[in-house]
Coordinates of all heavy atoms in Angstrom, one line a residue:
M27 N 0.9 -1.2 0.0 CA 0.0 0.0 0.0 C 0.8 1.3 0.0 O 0.4 2.2 -0.5 CB -0.9 0.0 1.1 CG -2.0 0.9 1.2 SD -3.2 0.6 -0.2 CE -4.3 1.9 0.2
T28 N 2.0 1.2 0.5 CA 2.9 2.4 0.5 C 3.4 2.8 -0.9 O 3.7 3.9 -1.1 CB 4.0 2.1 1.6 OG1 4.8 1.0 1.2 CG2 3.6 2.0 3.0
I29 N 3.5 1.7 -1.7 CA 4.0 2.0 -3.1 C 3.0 2.8 -3.6 O 3.2 3.7 -4.4 CB 4.4 0.7 -3.8 CG1 5.6 0.0 -3.2 CG2 4.7 0.9 -5.2 CD1 5.8 -1.5 -3.6
F30 N 1.7 2.4 -3.5 CA 0.6 3.1 -4.3 C 0.5 4.5 -3.7 O 0.4 5.4 -4.4 CB -0.7 2.3 -3.9 CG -1.9 3.0 -4.5 CD1 -2.1 3.0 -5.8 CD2 -2.8 3.7 -3.7 CE1 -3.2 3.8 -6.4 CE2 -3.8 4.3 -4.2 CZ -4.1 4.5 -5.7
A31 N 0.7 4.7 -2.4 CA 0.7 6.1 -1.8 C 1.8 6.9 -2.4 O 1.6 8.0 -2.7 CB 0.7 6.0 -0.3
G32 N 2.9 6.3 -2.6 CA 4.0 7.2 -3.1 C 4.0 7.4 -4.5 O 4.1 8.6 -4.9
F33 N 3.4 6.5 -5.3 CA 3.0 6.8 -6.6 C 1.9 7.9 -6.8 O 2.1 8.8 -7.6 CB 2.6 5.6 -7.4 CG 2.3 5.7 -8.8 CD1 3.3 5.9 -9.7 CD2 1.0 5.8 -9.4 CE1 3.1 6.2 -11.1 CE2 0.8 6.0 -10.6 CZ 1.8 6.2 -11.5
A34 N 1.0 7.9 -5.9 CA -0.1 8.9 -5.9 C 0.4 10.2 -5.6 O 0.0 11.1 -6.2 CB -1.3 8.4 -5.2
S35 N 1.3 10.2 -4.6 CA 1.8 11.5 -4.3 C 2.7 12.1 -5.2 O 2.8 13.3 -5.5 CB 2.5 11.5 -2.9 OG 3.6 10.6 -3.1
A36 N 3.5 11.2 -6.1 CA 4.3 11.6 -7.1 C 3.6 12.2 -8.2 O 3.8 13.2 -8.8 CB 5.2 10.5 -7.6
V37 N 2.4 11.6 -8.6 CA 1.6 12.1 -9.7 C 0.9 13.5 -9.2 O 0.9 14.4 -10.1 CB 0.2 11.1 -10.0 CG1 -0.7 11.6 -10.8 CG2 1.0 9.8 -10.5
V38 N 0.5 13.6 -8.0 CA -0.1 15.0 -7.6 C 1.1 16.0 -7.6 O 0.8 17.2 -8.0 CB -0.6 14.7 -6.3 CG1 -1.0 16.1 -5.6 CG2 -1.9 13.9 -6.3
A39 N 2.3 15.6 -7.2 CA 3.3 16.7 -7.2 C 3.9 17.0 -8.6 O 4.1 18.1 -8.9 CB 4.4 16.1 -6.4
L40 N 3.9 16.1 -9.4 CA 4.5 16.3 -10.8 C 3.2 16.8 -11.8 O 3.7 17.4 -12.8 CB 5.1 15.2 -11.4 CG 6.4 14.7 -10.5 CD1 7.0 13.4 -11.2 CD2 7.4 15.8 -10.5
G41 N 2.0 16.6 -11.4 CA 1.0 16.9 -12.4 C 0.8 15.7 -13.2 O 1.5 14.6 -13.2
N42 N -0.4 15.6 -13.9 CA -0.7 14.4 -14.7 C -0.5 14.6 -16.2 O -0.8 13.7 -16.8 CB -2.4 14.1 -14.5 CG -3.1 15.2 -14.9 OD1 -2.7 16.3 -15.4 ND2 -4.4 15.0 -14.6
G43 N 0.3 15.7 -16.5 CA 0.6 15.7 -18.0 C -0.5 16.3 -18.8 O -0.2 16.4 -20.1
N44 N -1.4 16.7 -18.4 CA -2.6 17.2 -19.1 C -2.6 18.8 -19.1 O -3.5 19.4 -19.7 CB -4.1 16.7 -18.8 CG -4.2 15.4 -19.1 OD1 -3.5 14.8 -20.0 ND2 -5.0 14.6 -18.4
G45 N -1.7 19.4 -18.5 CA -1.6 20.8 -18.3 C -1.2 21.5 -19.8 O -0.6 20.8 -20.7
N46 N -1.5 22.8 -19.9 CA -1.1 23.5 -21.2 C 0.3 24.3 -20.9 O 0.2 25.0 -19.9 CB -2.3 24.4 -21.6 CG -1.9 25.0 -23.0 OD1 -0.9 24.8 -23.5 ND2 -3.0 25.8 -23.4
A47 N 1.2 24.2 -21.7 CA 2.5 24.9 -21.3 C 2.3 26.5 -21.5 O 3.0 27.2 -21.0 CB 3.5 24.3 -22.3
S48 N 1.4 26.9 -22.4 CA 1.2 28.2 -22.7 C 0.0 28.8 -21.9 O -0.5 29.8 -22.3 CB 1.1 28.4 -24.1 OG 0.0 27.9 -24.6
A49 N -0.4 28.3 -20.8 CA -1.6 28.5 -20.1 C -1.3 29.9 -19.4 O -2.2 30.7 -19.2 CB -1.9 27.5 -19.2
G50 N -0.1 30.2 -19.1 CA 0.1 31.6 -18.4 C 0.2 32.7 -19.2 O 0.2 33.8 -18.8
S51 N 0.1 32.5 -20.6 CA 0.2 33.7 -21.5 C -1.0 34.5 -21.7 O -1.1 35.5 -22.3 CB 0.9 33.4 -22.9 OG -0.2 32.4 -23.5
G52 N -2.1 34.0 -21.1 CA -3.6 34.5 -21.3 C -4.1 34.2 -22.6 O -5.2 34.7 -22.8
E53 N -3.4 33.6 -23.4 CA -4.2 33.2 -24.7 C -4.9 31.9 -24.7 O -4.5 31.0 -23.9 CB -3.3 33.1 -25.9 CG -2.4 34.5 -26.2 CD -1.4 34.2 -27.2 OE1 -1.4 33.2 -27.9 OE2 -0.6 35.1 -27.5
A54 N -5.9 31.8 -25.3 CA -6.8 30.5 -25.4 C -5.8 29.4 -26.2 O -5.3 29.9 -27.2 CB -8.1 30.7 -26.0
A55 N -6.1 28.3 -25.8 CA -5.4 27.1 -26.4 C -6.0 26.9 -27.8 O -7.2 27.0 -27.9 CB -5.3 25.9 -25.6
P56 N -5.2 26.7 -28.9 CA -5.8 26.4 -30.2 C -6.6 25.2 -30.2 O -6.3 24.3 -29.6 CB -4.6 26.3 -31.1 CG -3.5 26.0 -30.2 CD -3.8 26.6 -28.9
R57 N -7.8 25.3 -30.9 CA -8.6 24.1 -30.9 C -8.5 23.4 -32.3 O -8.1 24.1 -33.3 CB -10.1 24.6 -30.9 CG -10.6 25.3 -29.7 CD -10.5 24.7 -28.4 NE -11.7 23.8 -28.4 CZ -11.9 22.9 -27.5 NH1 -11.3 22.8 -26.4 NH2 -12.9 22.1 -27.6
P58 N -8.6 22.0 -32.3 CA -8.3 21.3 -33.4 C -9.4 21.5 -34.3 O -10.6 21.6 -34.0 CB -8.2 19.8 -33.0 CG -8.9 19.8 -31.7 CD -8.7 21.2 -31.1
Q59 N -9.3 21.6 -35.8 CA -10.2 21.9 -36.6 C -10.5 20.5 -37.2 O -9.7 19.7 -37.5 CB -9.7 22.8 -37.9 CG -9.4 24.2 -37.3 CD -10.5 24.9 -36.8 OE1 -11.6 24.9 -37.3 NE2 -10.4 25.6 -35.6
S60 N -11.8 20.4 -37.7 CA -12.3 19.1 -38.4 C -11.8 19.2 -39.8 O -11.8 20.2 -40.5 CB -13.9 19.2 -38.4 OG -14.2 18.0 -39.0
T61 N -11.3 17.9 -40.2 CA -10.9 17.7 -41.6 C -11.8 17.0 -42.4 O -11.6 16.6 -43.5 CB -9.5 17.2 -41.6 OG1 -9.6 15.9 -40.9 CG2 -8.4 17.9 -41.0
V62 N -13.1 16.6 -41.9 CA -14.0 15.8 -42.5 C -15.0 16.7 -43.3 O -15.4 17.8 -42.8 CB -14.8 15.0 -41.5 CG1 -15.8 14.1 -42.1 CG2 -13.8 14.0 -40.7
R63 N -15.3 16.3 -44.4 CA -16.4 17.0 -45.3 C -17.6 16.0 -45.4 O -17.4 14.8 -45.8 CB -15.8 17.3 -46.6 CG -14.7 18.3 -46.5 CD -14.4 18.7 -47.9 NE -13.2 19.6 -47.9 CZ -12.9 20.6 -48.7 NH1 -13.7 20.6 -49.7 NH2 -12.0 21.4 -48.6
Y64 N -18.7 16.6 -45.1 CA -19.9 15.7 -45.1 C -20.8 16.3 -46.3 O -20.7 17.5 -46.6 CB -20.7 15.9 -43.8 CG -20.0 15.2 -42.7 CD1 -19.3 15.9 -41.8 CD2 -20.1 13.9 -42.5 CE1 -18.7 15.4 -40.7 CE2 -19.5 13.2 -41.4 CZ -18.7 14.1 -40.5 OH -18.0 13.5 -39.5
P65 N -21.6 15.5 -47.0 CA -21.7 14.0 -46.8 C -20.5 13.3 -47.4 O -19.9 13.8 -48.4 CB -23.0 13.7 -47.5 CG -23.1 14.6 -48.7 CD -22.4 15.8 -48.0
I66 N -20.3 12.2 -46.8 CA -19.2 11.3 -47.2 C -19.7 10.5 -48.5 O -20.7 9.9 -48.5 CB -18.6 10.3 -46.2 CG1 -18.0 11.2 -45.1 CG2 -17.5 9.4 -46.7 CD1 -17.6 10.4 -43.9
R67 N -18.9 10.7 -49.6 CA -19.2 10.0 -50.9 C -18.1 9.1 -51.5 O -17.0 9.5 -51.1 CB -19.7 11.1 -52.0 CG -20.9 11.8 -51.6 CD -21.3 12.8 -52.7 NE -22.5 13.5 -52.1 CZ -23.0 14.6 -52.8 NH1 -22.5 14.9 -54.0 NH2 -24.0 15.2 -52.3
F68 N -18.5 8.2 -52.2 CA -17.5 7.3 -52.7 C -17.8 7.3 -54.3 O -18.3 6.3 -54.8 CB -17.6 5.9 -52.2 CG -17.2 5.9 -50.7 CD1 -18.2 5.8 -49.8 CD2 -15.9 5.9 -50.2 CE1 -18.0 5.8 -48.4 CE2 -15.7 5.8 -48.9 CZ -16.6 5.8 -48.0
D69 N -17.5 8.4 -55.0 CA -17.8 8.6 -56.3 C -17.1 7.6 -57.1 O -17.6 7.2 -58.3 CB -17.6 9.9 -56.7 CG -18.6 10.9 -56.0 OD1 -19.6 10.4 -55.7 OD2 -18.0 12.1 -55.9
D70 N -15.8 7.2 -56.9 CA -15.2 6.2 -57.7 C -15.4 4.8 -57.6 O -15.0 3.9 -58.1 CB -13.7 6.5 -57.4 CG -13.3 7.9 -57.8 OD1 -13.9 8.4 -58.6 OD2 -12.2 8.3 -57.4
A71 N -16.3 4.4 -56.5 CA -16.6 3.1 -56.2 C -17.7 2.6 -57.3 O -18.5 3.3 -57.7 CB -17.2 3.0 -54.9
P72 N -17.5 1.3 -57.7 CA -18.5 0.8 -58.6 C -19.8 0.6 -58.0 O -20.0 0.3 -56.7 CB -17.8 -0.7 -59.0 CG -16.9 -1.0 -58.0 CD -16.5 0.3 -57.3
P73 N -20.9 0.6 -58.6 CA -22.3 0.5 -58.0 C -22.3 -1.0 -57.4 O -21.8 -1.9 -58.1 CB -23.2 0.6 -59.2 CG -22.5 0.3 -60.4 CD -21.0 0.8 -60.0
P74 N -23.1 -1.2 -56.4 CA -23.2 -2.6 -55.9 C -24.0 -3.4 -56.8 O -24.9 -3.0 -57.4 CB -24.0 -2.4 -54.6 CG -24.7 -1.0 -54.7 CD -23.9 -0.2 -55.6
R75 N -23.5 -4.7 -56.8 CA -24.2 -5.7 -57.6 C -25.3 -6.3 -56.8 O -25.1 -6.7 -55.7 CB -23.3 -6.7 -58.0 CG -22.2 -6.2 -59.1 CD -21.4 -7.3 -59.6 NE -20.6 -6.8 -60.7 CZ -20.6 -7.4 -61.9 NH1 -21.2 -8.5 -62.2 NH2 -19.8 -6.9 -62.9
I76 N -26.5 -6.3 -57.4 CA -27.6 -7.0 -56.8 C -27.8 -8.3 -57.4 O -27.9 -8.6 -58.5 CB -28.9 -6.2 -57.0 CG1 -28.8 -4.8 -56.5 CG2 -30.1 -6.9 -56.3 CD1 -29.9 -3.9 -56.7
A77 N -27.7 -9.4 -56.5 CA -27.8 -10.8 -56.9 C -29.2 -11.0 -57.4 O -30.2 -10.8 -56.8 CB -27.4 -11.7 -55.7
Q78 N -29.3 -11.6 -58.6 CA -30.6 -11.9 -59.1 C -31.0 -13.2 -58.6 O -30.1 -14.2 -58.4 CB -30.4 -12.2 -60.8 CG -30.1 -10.8 -61.3 CD -31.3 -9.8 -61.2 OE1 -32.4 -10.2 -61.2 NE2 -30.9 -8.6 -61.1
P79 N -32.3 -13.4 -58.2 CA -32.7 -14.7 -57.6 C -32.7 -15.8 -58.7 O -32.9 -15.6 -59.9 CB -34.1 -14.4 -57.3 CG -34.6 -13.2 -57.9 CD -33.2 -12.5 -58.3
R80 N -32.2 -17.0 -58.2 CA -32.1 -18.2 -59.1 C -33.1 -19.2 -58.6 O -33.3 -19.5 -57.5 CB -30.7 -18.7 -59.0 CG -29.6 -17.7 -59.5 CD -28.3 -18.4 -59.7 NE -27.4 -17.4 -60.2 CZ -26.8 -17.3 -61.5 NH1 -27.4 -18.1 -62.3 NH2 -26.0 -16.4 -61.8
P81 N -33.8 -19.8 -59.6 CA -34.8 -20.8 -59.2 C -34.0 -22.0 -58.6 O -32.9 -22.3 -59.0 CB -35.5 -21.1 -60.5 CG -34.6 -20.7 -61.5 CD -33.8 -19.6 -61.0
T82 N -34.8 -22.7 -57.6 CA -34.1 -23.8 -57.0 C -34.5 -25.2 -57.8 O -34.0 -26.2 -57.6 CB -34.6 -24.0 -55.6 OG1 -36.0 -24.0 -55.6 CG2 -34.1 -22.8 -54.8
V83 N -35.5 -25.0 -58.8 CA -35.9 -26.1 -59.6 C -35.7 -25.7 -61.0 O -35.8 -24.6 -61.2 CB -37.4 -26.8 -59.1 CG1 -37.3 -27.2 -57.8 CG2 -38.2 -25.6 -59.3
S84 N -35.6 -26.7 -61.9 CA -35.3 -26.5 -63.2 C -36.8 -26.4 -64.0 O -36.8 -26.1 -65.3 CB -34.4 -27.5 -64.0 OG -35.0 -28.8 -63.8
Y85 N -37.9 -26.7 -63.4 CA -39.2 -26.7 -64.0 C -40.1 -25.6 -63.4 O -39.8 -25.3 -62.3 CB -39.9 -28.1 -63.9 CG -39.9 -28.5 -62.6 CD1 -41.0 -28.3 -61.7 CD2 -38.7 -29.4 -62.0 CE1 -41.0 -28.8 -60.4 CE2 -38.9 -29.8 -60.7 CZ -40.0 -29.5 -59.9 OH -40.0 -30.0 -58.6
P86 N -41.1 -25.1 -64.1 CA -41.8 -24.0 -63.4 C -42.8 -24.7 -62.5 O -43.3 -25.6 -62.6 CB -42.8 -23.5 -64.7 CG -42.6 -24.4 -65.7 CD -41.3 -25.2 -65.4
V87 N -43.1 -24.0 -61.3 CA -43.9 -24.4 -60.4 C -45.3 -23.6 -60.5 O -45.3 -22.5 -60.5 CB -43.4 -24.1 -58.9 CG1 -44.3 -24.6 -57.8 CG2 -42.1 -24.8 -58.7
R88 N -46.4 -24.4 -60.7 CA -47.6 -23.9 -60.9 C -48.3 -24.0 -59.6 O -48.5 -24.8 -59.0 CB -48.3 -24.6 -62.0 CG -47.6 -24.5 -63.3 CD -48.5 -24.7 -64.5 NE -47.7 -24.8 -65.8 CZ -47.3 -23.8 -66.5 NH1 -47.7 -22.5 -66.1 NH2 -46.6 -24.0 -67.6
F89 N -49.0 -22.7 -59.3 CA -49.9 -22.7 -58.0 C -51.3 -22.7 -58.5 O -51.6 -22.1 -59.5 CB -49.5 -21.4 -57.1 CG -48.0 -21.5 -56.6 CD1 -47.1 -20.9 -57.4 CD2 -47.8 -22.3 -55.5 CE1 -45.8 -20.9 -56.8 CE2 -46.5 -22.3 -55.0 CZ -45.5 -21.6 -55.7
P90 N -52.1 -23.4 -57.7 CA -53.6 -23.3 -58.0 C -54.1 -22.0 -57.8 O -53.7 -21.1 -56.9 CB -54.2 -24.3 -57.1 CG -53.2 -24.5 -55.9 CD -51.9 -24.2 -56.5
E91 N -55.0 -21.5 -58.7 CA -55.6 -20.1 -58.6 C -56.4 -20.1 -57.2 O -57.2 -21.1 -56.9 CB -56.4 -19.8 -59.8 CG -55.5 -19.7 -61.1 CD -56.4 -19.1 -62.2 OE1 -57.3 -18.5 -62.0 OE2 -56.1 -19.5 -63.2
A92 N -56.2 -19.0 -56.4 CA -57.0 -18.8 -55.2 C -58.4 -18.4 -55.6 O -58.7 -17.6 -56.5 CB -56.4 -17.7 -54.5
E93 N -59.4 -18.9 -54.8 CA -60.7 -18.6 -55.0 C -61.0 -17.2 -54.3 O -60.5 -17.0 -53.2 CB -61.7 -19.6 -54.3 CG -61.6 -20.9 -55.0 CD -62.4 -21.9 -54.4 OE1 -63.4 -21.4 -53.6 OE2 -62.4 -23.0 -54.7
V94 N -61.6 -16.2 -55.0 CA -61.8 -14.9 -54.5 C -63.3 -14.9 -54.1 O -64.2 -14.4 -54.8 CB -61.6 -13.9 -55.6 CG1 -61.6 -12.5 -55.0 CG2 -60.2 -14.1 -56.2
S95 N -63.6 -15.4 -52.8 CA -64.8 -15.5 -52.3 C -65.0 -14.5 -51.1 O -66.0 -14.5 -50.5 CB -65.3 -16.9 -51.9 OG -64.4 -17.3 -50.8
R96 N -64.2 -13.7 -50.8 CA -64.2 -12.7 -49.8 C -64.9 -11.7 -50.1 O -65.0 -10.9 -50.8 CB -62.9 -12.5 -49.2 CG -62.2 -13.7 -48.6 CD -60.9 -13.4 -47.9 NE -60.4 -14.6 -47.4 CZ -59.2 -14.6 -46.9 NH1 -58.5 -13.6 -46.7 NH2 -58.6 -15.8 -46.5

């Protein structure tokens, strides 16, 4: 437990590394700018291929006509 206490006190004494080196100059820290442009498009990509359904049998399946009695 003393090793943990020593490490914790060292972190508090030295800081956690998130401070700003130019914080004392009175200027605001520069903010990162976004480099993303929306909407994201893939103009050079080929169009997606849609798989055509294939019959599972080689002969046509005939269904009886439904009675319309409703």
Side-chain angles (χ1 to χ4, degrees):
M27 189 68 174
T28 59
I29 295 173
F30 177 73
F33 180 73
S35 63
V37 168
V38 170
L40 298 175
N42 59 4
N44 289 335
N46 189 353
S48 64
S51 65
E53 297 178 12
R57 305 289 294 179
Q59 298 296 318
S60 176
T61 58
V62 179
R63 294 184 183 213
Y64 293 101
I66 297 174
R67 296 183 183 173
F68 300 98
D69 294 331
D70 296 334
R75 292 184 169 233
I76 299 173
Q78 297 294 325
R80 297 189 182 259
T82 56
V83 294
S84 60
Y85 53 88
V87 177
R88 303 205 187 271
F89 295 97
E91 293 188 26
E93 295 179 15
V94 186
S95 62
R96 293 183 184 181

